[in-house]
């Protein structure tokens, strides 16, 4: 909880004594380059930060990572957590002025979740799943479950901004929803440039052509030295080695254990990521679970491990679009050599034994985050009967003991904010709450 | 656990005595921040889990703290756990042949997490966990220092406070707190404010972002509430009630008893600039966020904090715009210092907002004291009929909104 408060305080430091001004256009730049804005087309980890500005879920996570009602005013589970009923918030309209109805919500959720049975029931929606799903309220906060309605060629939501122009993969222009149920946004519009890499984004900010850009972890310190405001989330991305198959022998399993124990995670974080993030031996960060320290590998460091490790050869592939990935992969290979393992690195090789992945944690809800990691790493997706910490720990331990995944680091999401942008509050999980942002000075 | 129901804190308690009107406001009460926690239930739960693994007998207990619990709280929690273990026949010993139990007090974004690692020899370590709801509350302020502006905490809560006011007179004292959903009435008792009644606010249109509102004492029916496009008034019935209606009635400017009123934009966060009945011969000004009145012998000098960042000093004939480092929040306060009236003006600091008192001599405001620093941004500042003011801060540490009563004292 201390970590969280410090993050929120950091973000809150950008506020001025003046009250918010209305008007102006805030310009943001993103690496994501979506070809569609339809929430139903998103996977569990996609959609941030744009989609929630347009499409809202029945629930959402607040700035402290706590689940809150949103388009739903309240909800109740049936016996066994397999049937859920959500009562809609009254007085909410789509961007064209049509009221939000249970029928519209049911249709939207069915499109995104064909396996669910979703029906309207008066001013409520009933969702039935094929298996107990205690995480359902948290799932509904994912961008892919944002409520959307097709009206001819228009895609409508209920959020604080509506789509004004969209060039798939290139540019998105949003206009303020004048009748937004949560209060009209301060800015008149948002212009998002899509598909820009880290370097292009910083240049755009330096040229004064952007107000908000994403910053690579290893560039945060440098960006901060230039006098810009940097805001960070809690660590919400996992850097991990994922093996494409299970160990085929006990010896291979020991080899992987030796590799995991031999990796100098502190150097990866402190040197390659410039101190941004945390060394990770758990899949989920400690702020999310509180028990990550239980996975620390004590007593089997280099000397012990080298003695047990056997000579072997493995290949490790990485996504070369981010230069940091190559550096991390090469550092892992260097550490592997120290424990007697030959590890060859290669950019985007299809037949590699392992892949270096950067996996967004998808949700502040740890059960959902663990499922998202398993999906992205190609592992069996853990199922949960409840929300207890013990069950979560057991499922995470099983994934680690599968020998198919080696966590390296958890890194935060960072953004650089240009002058004249006020009221910015990065929340715990890095959502962009642009409805609260306002512009001052020459940017107005 | 998986059920959420919106809170509807409508309480319908009767006011114990008729409120006495017209008596000067007395000492304000502070609300102690509740610290500490109840460790009995989680200690019992974890002890049962440990005992189920070890059975009755001796265990060696090691306790680590990786949470924001303070050392004294850790000792309390450890003591509670040891007591519960003893009840279940588990005796704590130094070490030796006993099972080892390593307890870690940790936390995550949702709760505290108590972890027990039970090792009875060999590799078969059992890990047991108990989630403990709780959150760190805000730190308290230190003793007041000899500043110009004295402040007293009136109330704090999670939802944004728009205004708060202590009703004059009455025994016990009564406090009204306005937020976007209700006016809450509290009575003072035993050094604390106790909730008596809550009056829900009805409105047809969505509230604007950066919602503002104020409570104004009314000698006839106790209080009025002004919100964008909505006006509410207390109804002297038994029990006390409140009625709201959609209206663009102008809000009182300065202290609530001022005759000058300003129209507030129903969809924005500022006054439109149109005032009634006017300041002297003028009734239209640039849109402004706040206003403060400084009574003079023959007239009233008004300060308006305009939306464009300028400050206008107007008296009905002249409109002077001095360059001042003022933010958007200003309010007048009455004191025994200087001319008897000062303006409190907000300003930005590195860590939060501050308030500084200004004396306005002729048309030139001069700072007359040391700024009072707040930890976070000021959300509201309103003058009150008793000559003081109320400021609302959003505390960045706790995330709570805190309403303070302000008054200006002279250096001795």
């Amino acid at each position: 909880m201390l970590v969280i408060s410090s993050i929120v305080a950091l973000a809150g430091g950008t506020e001025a004594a003046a009250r918010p001004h209305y008007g102006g256009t805030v310009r943001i730049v993103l690496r994501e380059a979506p070809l569609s804005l339809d929430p139903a087309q998103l996977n569990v980890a996609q959609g941030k930060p744009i989609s929630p500005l347009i499409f809202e879920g029945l629930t959402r996570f607040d700035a402290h990572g706590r689940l809150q009602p949103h388009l739903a005013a309240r909800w109740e589970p049936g016996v066994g957590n397999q049937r859920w009923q959500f009562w809609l918030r009254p007085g909410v309209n789509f961007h064209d002025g049509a009221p939000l109805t249970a029928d519209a919500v049911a249709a939207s959720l069915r499109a995104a979740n064909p396996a669910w049975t979703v029906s309207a029931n008066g001013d409520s929606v009933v969702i039935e799943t094929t298996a107990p799903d205690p995480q359902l309220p948290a799932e509904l906060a994912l961008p892919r479950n944002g409520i959307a309605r097709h009206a001819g060629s228009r895609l409508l939501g209920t959020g604080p901004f509506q789509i004004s122009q969209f060039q798939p993969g290139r540019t998105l222009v949003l206009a303020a929803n004048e009748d937004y149920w949560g209060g009209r946004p301060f800015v008149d519009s948002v212009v998002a440039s899509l598909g820009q890499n880290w370097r292009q984004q910083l240049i755009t900010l330096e040229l004064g052509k952007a107000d908000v850009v994403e910053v690579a972890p290893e560039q945060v310190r440098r960006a901060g030295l230039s006098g810009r405001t940097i805001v960070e989330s809690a660590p919400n991305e996992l850097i991990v080695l994922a093996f494409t198959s299970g160990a085929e022998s006990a010896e291979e399993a020991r080899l992987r254990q030796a590799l995991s124990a031999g990796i100098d995670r502190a150097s990866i974080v402190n040197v390659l990521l410039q101190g941004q993030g945390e060394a990770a031996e758990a899949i989920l960060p400690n702020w999310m679970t509180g028990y990550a320290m239980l996975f620390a590998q004590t007593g089997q460091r280099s000397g012990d491990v080298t003695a047990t490790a056997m000579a072997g050869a493995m290949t490790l592939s990485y996504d070369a679009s981010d230069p940091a990935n190559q550096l991390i992969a090469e550092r892992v290979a260097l550490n592997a050599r120290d424990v007697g393992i030959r590890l060859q690195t290669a950019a985007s090789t299809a037949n590699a034994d392992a892949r270096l992945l950067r996996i967004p944690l998808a949700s502040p809800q740890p059960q959902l985050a663990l499922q998202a990691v398993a999906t992205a790493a190609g592992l069996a997706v853990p199922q949960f009967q409840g929300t207890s910490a013990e069950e979560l720990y057991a499922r995470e331990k099983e994934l680690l003991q599968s020998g198919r995944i080696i966590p390296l680091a958890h890194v935060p999401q960072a953004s650089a904010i240009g002058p004249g942008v006020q009221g910015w509050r990065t929340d715990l999980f890095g959502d962009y709450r642009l409805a609260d942002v306002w512009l001052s000075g020459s940017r107005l | 656990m998986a059920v959420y129901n919106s809170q509807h804190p409508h309480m319908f308690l009767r006011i114990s005595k008729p409120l006495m009107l017209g008596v000067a406001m007395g000492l304000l009460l502070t609300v102690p921040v509740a610290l500490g926690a109840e460790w009995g239930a989680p200690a019992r739960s974890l002890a049962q889990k440990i005992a189920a693994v070890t059975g009755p007998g001796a265990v060696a207990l090691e306790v680590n703290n990786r949470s924001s619990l303070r050392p004294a709280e850790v000792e309390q929690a450890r003591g509670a756990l040891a007591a519960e273990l003893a009840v279940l026949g588990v005796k704590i010993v130094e070490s030796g042949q006993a099972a080892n139990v390593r307890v870690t007090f940790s936390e995550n974004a949702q709760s505290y997490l108590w972890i027990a690692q039970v090792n009875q020899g060999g590799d078969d370590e059992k890990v047991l966990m108990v989630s403990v709801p709780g959150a760190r509350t805000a730190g308290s302020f230190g003793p007041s220092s000899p500043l110009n502006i004295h402040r007293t905490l009136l109330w704090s809560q999670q939802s944004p406070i728009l205004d708060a006011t202590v009703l004059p007179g009455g025994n016990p004292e009564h406090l009204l707190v306005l937020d976007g959903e209700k006016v809450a009435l509290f009575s003072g008792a035993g050094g604390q404010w106790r909730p008596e009644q809550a009056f829900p606010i009805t409105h047809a249109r969505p509230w604007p972002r950066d919602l503002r509102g104020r409570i104004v004492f009314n000698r006839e029916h106790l209080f009025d509430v002004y919100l964008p496009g909505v006006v509410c008034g207390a109804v002297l019935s038994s029990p006390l009630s409140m009625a709201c209606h959609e209206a663009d009635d102008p809000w009182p400017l300065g202290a609530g008893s001022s005759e000058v009123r300003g129209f507030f934009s129903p969809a924005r966060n500022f006054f439109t600039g149109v005032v009634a009945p006017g300041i002297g011969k003028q009734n239209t000004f640039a849109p402004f966020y706040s206003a403060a009145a400084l009574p003079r012998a023959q007239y009233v000098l008004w300060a308006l904090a305009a939306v464009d960042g300028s400050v206008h000093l107007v008296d009905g004939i002249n409109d002077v715009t001095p360059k001042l480092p003022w933010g958007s929040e200003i309010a007048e306060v009455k004191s025994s210092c200087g001319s008897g009236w000062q303006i409190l003006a907000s300003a930005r600091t590195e860590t939060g907002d501050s308030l500084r008192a200004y004396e306005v001599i002729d048309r030139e405001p001069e700072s007359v004291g040391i700024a009072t620093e707040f930890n976070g941004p000021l959300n509201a500042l309103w003058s009150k009929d008793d000559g003081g003011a109320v400021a609302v801060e959003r505390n960045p540490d706790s995330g709570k909104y805190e309403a303070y009563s302000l008054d200006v004292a002279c250096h001795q």
Side-chain angles (χ1 to χ4, degrees), chain A residues 192-246:
Chain A
S193 300
L194 310 173
Q196 306 289 306
N197 65 34
W198 301 115
R199 187 168 168 275
Q200 290 169 321
Q201 294 199 32
L202 268 185
I203 291 172
T204 308
L205 184 71
E206 286 168 356
L207 292 174
K209 294 181 177 177
D211 298 308
V212 183
V213 301
E214 301 163 310
V215 181
E218 64 275 14
Q219 292 178 331
V220 164
R221 188 165 294 181
R222 196 184 115 207
L225 290 175
S226 305
R228 300 181 191 91
T229 300
I230 304 293
V231 291
E232 291 182 44
S233 70
N236 64 0
E237 184 182 60
L238 171 68
I239 302 179
V240 68
L241 298 186
F243 290 89
T244 50
S245 62

Side-chain angles (χ1 to χ4, degrees), chain A residues 1 15 17-22 65 69 73-75 77 84 180 183 186 287 289-290 293-294 390 425 435-436, chain B residues 2-4 6 49 106-110 113 117 128-129 134 207 209-210 212 268-269 289 307 328-329 379 394:
Chain A
M1 281 173 269
E15 295 189 41
R19 296 205 85 89
H21 295 286
Y22 283 84
R74 62 189 178 96
W75 58 84
W84 292 79
Y180 179 54
F186 294 122
W287 70 263
T289 65
M293 80 292 286
L294 299 182
E390 282 178 341
R425 287 184 199 165
D436 292 323
Chain B
V3 179
Y4 184 91
S6 301
K49 289 186 175 188
S106 184
E107 67 187 358
N108 55 41
Q110 311 292 338
L113 186 69
Q117 296 165 268
L128 313 165
M129 298 181 188
W207 287 136
R209 203 164 288 273
D210 188 30
R212 301 181 68 189
R268 295 290 188 267
N269 60 349
Y289 287 121
V307 169
S328 53
E329 305 304 314
N379 194 50
R394 184 173 63 80

Side-chain angles (χ1 to χ4, degrees), chain B residues 245-326:
Chain B
H245 63 281
E246 308 279 323
D248 284 340
D249 295 356
W251 300 16
L253 298 178
S257 58
S258 164
E259 289 182 359
V260 179
R261 293 169 176 252
F263 287 89
F264 197 91
S265 172
R268 295 290 188 267
N269 60 349
F270 52 77
F271 291 90
T272 62
V274 177
V275 302
I279 299 173
K281 296 176 181 176
Q282 279 186 278
N283 57 16
T284 303
F285 303 90
F288 58 91
Y289 287 121
S290 58
L294 296 175
R296 298 289 193 248
Q298 304 296 326
Y299 64 99
V300 176
L301 178 66
W302 283 87
L304 307 177
V307 169
D308 64 6
S310 64
V311 176
H312 293 254
L313 296 177
V314 296
D315 57 14
I317 299 174
N318 303 299
D319 185 345
V320 180
T321 55
K323 284 186 79 79
L324 293 166
W326 291 5

Side-chain angles (χ1 to χ4, degrees), chain A residues 157-213:
Chain A
T158 61
F161 294 95
Q162 56 188 316
I163 301 167
S164 180
Q165 292 175 37
F166 179 48
Q167 293 180 282
R170 298 185 61 186
T171 310
L172 173 66
V173 180
L174 303 175
N177 176 1
E178 295 290 338
D179 299 316
Y180 179 54
W181 62 270
R184 181 207 193 270
F186 294 122
V187 296
D188 292 334
S189 57
V190 176
V191 174
S193 300
L194 310 173
Q196 306 289 306
N197 65 34
W198 301 115
R199 187 168 168 275
Q200 290 169 321
Q201 294 199 32
L202 268 185
I203 291 172
T204 308
L205 184 71
E206 286 168 356
L207 292 174
K209 294 181 177 177
D211 298 308
V212 183
V213 301

Side-chain angles (χ1 to χ4, degrees), chain B residues 31-386:
Chain B
V31 180
V33 177
L35 291 174
E38 178 57 57
W39 305 126
R44 194 171 309 120
S45 178
L46 190 61
Q48 287 169 347
K49 289 186 175 188
I50 293 170
V53 174
T54 65
V59 301
L61 179 66
E62 177 190 343
V63 173
N64 299 288
N65 180 33
R66 297 177 67 109
S67 71
S68 57
L69 288 177
R70 288 177 290 235
E73 293 173 308
V74 171
E75 276 308 303
Q76 289 173 3
R78 187 190 191 285
L81 179 61
E84 294 294 340
L85 285 170
V87 169
L88 297 168
V90 179
K91 183 183 177 187
I92 296 171
V93 297
E94 286 297 318
S95 58
Q97 299 301 312
N100 290 306
V101 178
R102 179 189 176 95
V103 170
T104 302
F105 297 130
S106 184
E107 67 187 358
N108 55 41
Q110 311 292 338
S111 63
Y112 293 113
L113 186 69
W114 291 11
I115 305 168
Q117 296 165 268
V118 183
N119 196 320
Q120 295 178 291
D123 295 333
D124 188 24
E125 181 182 83
K126 293 272 191 265
V127 177
L128 313 165
M129 298 181 188
V130 172
S131 294
V132 186
R136 181 60 64 202
T137 50
S140 58
F141 286 93
S144 60
S145 51
L147 302 176
N148 300 65
I149 304 167
H150 289 174
R151 62 182 181 183
T152 306
L153 180 63
L154 287 174
W155 185 251
S156 70
Q157 64 182 42
Q158 286 292 343
S159 58
I161 297 173
L162 307 180
D163 193 8
T165 193
V166 177
L167 291 172
N171 184 16
E173 289 185 301
H174 284 84
L175 169 70
L176 291 170
V177 178
L178 171 66
D179 62 34
E181 295 183 355
K182 64 184 181 303
V183 176
L185 175 68
F186 301 85
S187 63
Q192 292 190 334
W193 294 112
R194 298 187 185 282
E196 278 208 351
Q197 206 168 343
F199 310 104
I201 294 167
T202 55
H203 57 104
R205 290 170 50 95
W207 287 136
R209 203 164 288 273
D210 188 30
L211 176 63
R212 301 181 68 189
R214 73 176 299 191
I215 305 170
V216 177
F217 173 65
N218 185 301
R219 292 183 181 279
E220 294 176 357
H221 57 259
L222 206 56
F223 67 89
D224 292 312
V225 173
Y226 294 84
L227 292 148
V230 173
V231 175
C232 305
V235 178
L236 291 178
S237 57
S238 181
L240 187 69
S241 62
M242 185 175 79
C244 297
H245 63 281
E246 308 279 323
D248 284 340
D249 295 356
W251 300 16
L253 298 178
S257 58
S258 164
E259 289 182 359
V260 179
R261 293 169 176 252
F263 287 89
F264 197 91
S265 172
R268 295 290 188 267
N269 60 349
F270 52 77
F271 291 90
T272 62
V274 177
V275 302
I279 299 173
K281 296 176 181 176
Q282 279 186 278
N283 57 16
T284 303
F285 303 90
F288 58 91
Y289 287 121
S290 58
L294 296 175
R296 298 289 193 248
Q298 304 296 326
Y299 64 99
V300 176
L301 178 66
W302 283 87
L304 307 177
V307 169
D308 64 6
S310 64
V311 176
H312 293 254
L313 296 177
V314 296
D315 57 14
I317 299 174
N318 303 299
D319 185 345
V320 180
T321 55
K323 284 186 79 79
L324 293 166
W326 291 5
S328 53
E329 305 304 314
I330 62 174
E332 79 265 20
V333 286
K334 189 177 183 182
S335 73
S336 57
C337 330
S339 67
W341 290 92
Q342 288 81 30
I343 290 177
L344 300 182
S346 66
R348 182 184 185 181
T349 69
E350 287 186 2
T351 56
D353 285 354
S354 69
L355 279 179
R356 186 184 291 273
Y358 289 83
E359 185 84 58
V360 182
I361 302 166
D362 196 10
R363 298 290 190 274
E364 295 181 6
E366 288 184 7
S367 169
V368 288
I370 304 166
T372 294
E373 305 278 344
F374 289 82
N375 292 330
L378 286 176
N379 194 50
L381 177 69
W382 297 111
S383 297
K384 295 297 172 183
D385 284 346
D386 66 348

